[in-house]
């Protein structure tokens, strides 16, 4: 039987599924409901100093795509708008009542050492398992010199992380912003500052849509709109790339990662973990479907692990990292071509149109006894996969490897590479 117990940076939970710092973790009522549903841990919604922030009315925007609601989600909500002492009291009570669950508290205060020292002492008193430094929020708080305004400056990340490590015994997670050119600078700074772990990604700066009647970005507040934080299933590929970059970086070696970004089911979670994540944090999926989704996540991950023979999470954590490489090291001699299963083909012609109009004219449109038939022209096929992706029938088009007798060759070694020739000279 698969063992889903999680231990990341000394923070333990019965499973790796945590709720991210967000509205679902804003108060005792929500968090208790989450724990009853089976969530392994939470990151309590970001605490700040009193007086608490003031949020606006109309806070969320969403992108629906091809019938999928909330494929992308946007928010302009700030950190907790409840008094600090109320949050601290509730955190203490929940941790006392649920000692086996991970309780990490997200924090954001002005960039002064004394401010961080004071709030860390208050949180430590609650018995929380760790803190997460919110260096990612891209709206509202960044304009006040916090959130991503800190997370975009590696020197600030390292400085504040050092302060926090000096003033608390709790594990320190650093939450990184994706709104940077290269996530490795901030990640290395967090490690240099002594961070026990990093969590990523926070939300992506965005404008969700424009109401063409009001002529304002959504969500609309009194006829105006602003940029907000983008999350949900649509950000998953970006998040996985950044997680993988940190996991395979020599300077970040050994730095635990809590993965965040579009995780909606057990498979998403498993993919993040194969790229190096220790725990995974969920927000949008819970806001869309409710806390009970964790039941399927737990069961699905456990069944998959049993099927694959993985006993613990460590058995497959970072298993995909050795196969993540840079483009220049890919095998240029590797060759595949498309193959159409005629028994599954519904003759829609999407593969032909896509290839004919936008790719390599490698699929013929034929007529047999008055019926349409589509066949791949092997010598024209470059193995781009487009036809497989546009085909509406799962498994109808597959990509088949061609044995061309050629050995491994990467771009750095390829004689067609001008830089390679120059080096040889």
């Amino acid at each position: 039987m698969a063992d889903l117990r999680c231990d990341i940076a000394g923070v333990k939970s019965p499973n790796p599924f945590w709720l991210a710092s967000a509205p679902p973790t804003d108060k005792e009522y929500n968090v208790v409901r989450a724990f009853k549903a089976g969530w392994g841990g939470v990151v309590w919604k970001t605490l700040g100093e009193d007086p608490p922030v003031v949020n606006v009315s109309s806070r969320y925007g969403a992108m629906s795509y091809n019938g999928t609601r909330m494929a992308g989600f946007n928010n302009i909500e700030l950190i907790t708008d409840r008094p600090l002492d109320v949050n601290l009291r509730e955190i203490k009570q929940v941790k006392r009542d649920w000692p086996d669950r991970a309780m990490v508290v997200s924090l954001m205060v002005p960039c002064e050492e004394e401010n961080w020292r004071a709030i860390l002492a208050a949180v430590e008193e609650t018995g929380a398992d760790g803190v997460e430094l919110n260096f990612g929020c891209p709206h509202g708080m960044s304009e006040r010199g916090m959130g991503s305004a800190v997370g975009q400056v590696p020197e600030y990340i390292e400085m504040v992380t050092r302060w926090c490590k000096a003033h608390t015994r709790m594990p320190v997670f650093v939450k990184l912003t994706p709104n940077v050119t290269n996530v490795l600078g901030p990640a290395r700074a967090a490690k240099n500052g002594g961070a026990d772990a990093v969590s990523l990604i926070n939300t992506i700066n965005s404008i969700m849509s424009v109401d063409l009647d009001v002529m304002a970005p959504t969500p609309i507040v009194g006829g105006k709109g602003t940029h907000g934080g983008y999350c949900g299933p649509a950000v998953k590929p970006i998040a996985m790339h950044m997680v993988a970059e940190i996991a395979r970086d020599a300077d970040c070696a050994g730095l635990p990662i809590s993965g965040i970004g579009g995780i909606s089911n057990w498979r998403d979670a498993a993919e993040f973990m194969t790229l190096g994540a220790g725990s995974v944090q969920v927000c949008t999926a819970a806001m869309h479907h409710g806390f009970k989704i964790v039941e399927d996540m737990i069961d699905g991950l456990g069944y998959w692990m049993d099927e694959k023979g993985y006993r613990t999470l460590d058995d497959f954590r970072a298993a995909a990292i050795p196969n993540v490489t840079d483009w220049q090291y890919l095998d240029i001699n590797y060759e595949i071509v498309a193959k159409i299963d005629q028994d599954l083909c519904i003759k829609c012609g999407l593969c032909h149109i896509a290839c004919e109009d936008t790719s390599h004219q490698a699929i013929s449109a034929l007529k047999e006894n008055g019926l349409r038939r589509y066949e791949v022209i092997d010598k024209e096929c470059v193995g781009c996969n487009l036809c497989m992706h546009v085909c509406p029938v799962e498994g109808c088009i597959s990509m088949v490897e061609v044995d061309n007798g050629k050995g491994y060759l990467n771009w750095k070694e390829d004689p067609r590479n001008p830089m390679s020739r120059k080096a040889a000279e």
Side-chain angles (χ1 to χ4, degrees), residues 123-319:
V123 172
E124 198 164 294
E125 179 67 22
T126 68
D129 298 301
V131 292
E132 183 180 82
L133 313 186
N134 186 341
F135 295 156
C137 184
H139 57 273
M141 304 310 294
S142 56
E143 290 93 321
R144 309 176 197 205
M146 293 180 273
S148 63
V150 177
Q152 291 170 334
V153 184
E155 293 81 3
Y156 290 173
I157 293 175
E158 182 172 346
M159 176 180 69
V160 178
T161 304
R162 285 189 188 280
W163 292 344
C164 293
K165 287 298 296 178
H167 293 301
T168 185
R169 298 186 302 273
M170 296 179 291
V172 173
F173 289 61
V174 173
K175 191 171 188 179
L176 301 177
T177 176
N179 301 302
V180 292
T181 303
N182 189 334
V183 75
L184 291 180
R188 291 167 181 168
K191 185 175 184 185
N192 291 340
D196 297 285
V198 291
S199 51
L200 68 153
I201 58 172
N202 207 312
T203 53
I204 301 170
N205 220 349
S206 63
I207 288 180
M208 179 55 65
S209 63
V210 174
D211 186 311
L212 294 178
D213 294 319
V214 180
M215 286 299 173
T218 62
I220 298 170
V221 181
K224 304 287 185 181
T226 186
H227 63 90
Y230 189 49
C231 53
V235 311
K236 177 189 163 190
I238 299 168
M240 289 202 300
H241 163 68
M242 292 190 173
V243 166
E245 285 298 279
I246 294 172
R248 71 190 190 100
D249 180 57
D251 292 333
C252 292
L255 183 63
I257 301 169
S258 186
I260 315 169
I263 297 166
S264 303
N265 52 55
W266 72 265
R267 183 177 293 275
D268 295 335
E271 290 178 15
F272 268 82
M273 287 187 273
T274 65
L275 292 174
S279 64
V280 291
Q281 299 184 31
V282 179
C283 175
T284 304
M287 294 179 74
H288 192 177
H289 300 290
F291 290 150
K292 289 285 190 179
I293 61 168
V294 76
E295 296 176 358
D296 288 338
M297 290 180 169
I298 292 169
D299 290 344
L301 183 62
Y303 291 145
W304 174 75
M305 289 173 62
D306 287 341
E307 180 184 316
K308 294 294 185 180
Y310 299 130
R311 192 178 63 83
T312 70
L313 300 178
D314 285 334
D315 289 344
F316 67 91
R317 182 175 291 115

Side-chain angles (χ1 to χ4, degrees), residues 338-340 342 345 349-357 359-366 373-378 380-381 384-388 390-391 397 399:
K339 180 178 175 60
I340 300 173
Q342 299 297 336
C345 181
L350 280 174
C351 61
H352 167 69
I353 292 300
C355 188
E356 193 74 12
D357 286 355
S359 285
H360 296 86
Q361 299 76 51
I363 297 180
S364 296
L366 308 173
R373 178 184 176 89
Y374 300 95
E375 291 186 354
V376 177
I377 307 170
D378 287 353
E380 300 295 340
C381 181
C384 72
N385 303 0
L386 177 62
C387 58
M388 180 183 72
V390 303
C391 180
I397 300 181
M399 308 305 296

Side-chain angles (χ1 to χ4, degrees), residues 82-153:
R82 304 191 308 142
L84 179 59
D85 67 320
V86 172
N87 277 294
L88 293 172
R89 183 171 65 248
E90 292 183 2
I91 291 167
K92 187 172 186 177
Q93 186 62 51
V94 174
K95 184 58 189 176
R96 182 181 298 153
D97 294 342
W98 299 84
D100 69 319
R101 307 303 171 94
M103 173 65 75
V104 177
V105 180
S106 178
L107 300 175
M108 184 191 294
V109 295
C111 209
E112 298 290 341
E113 185 172 4
E114 179 55 30
N115 300 74
W116 283 99
R117 186 202 62 75
I119 200 166
L120 285 166
V123 172
E124 198 164 294
E125 179 67 22
T126 68
D129 298 301
V131 292
E132 183 180 82
L133 313 186
N134 186 341
F135 295 156
C137 184
H139 57 273
M141 304 310 294
S142 56
E143 290 93 321
R144 309 176 197 205
M146 293 180 273
S148 63
V150 177
Q152 291 170 334
V153 184

Side-chain angles (χ1 to χ4, degrees), residues 4-24:
L4 267 60
R5 286 178 297 177
C6 176
D7 184 343
I8 174 172
V11 177
K12 297 180 173 61
S13 59
N15 63 63
F17 300 107
W18 298 1
L19 285 171
S21 169

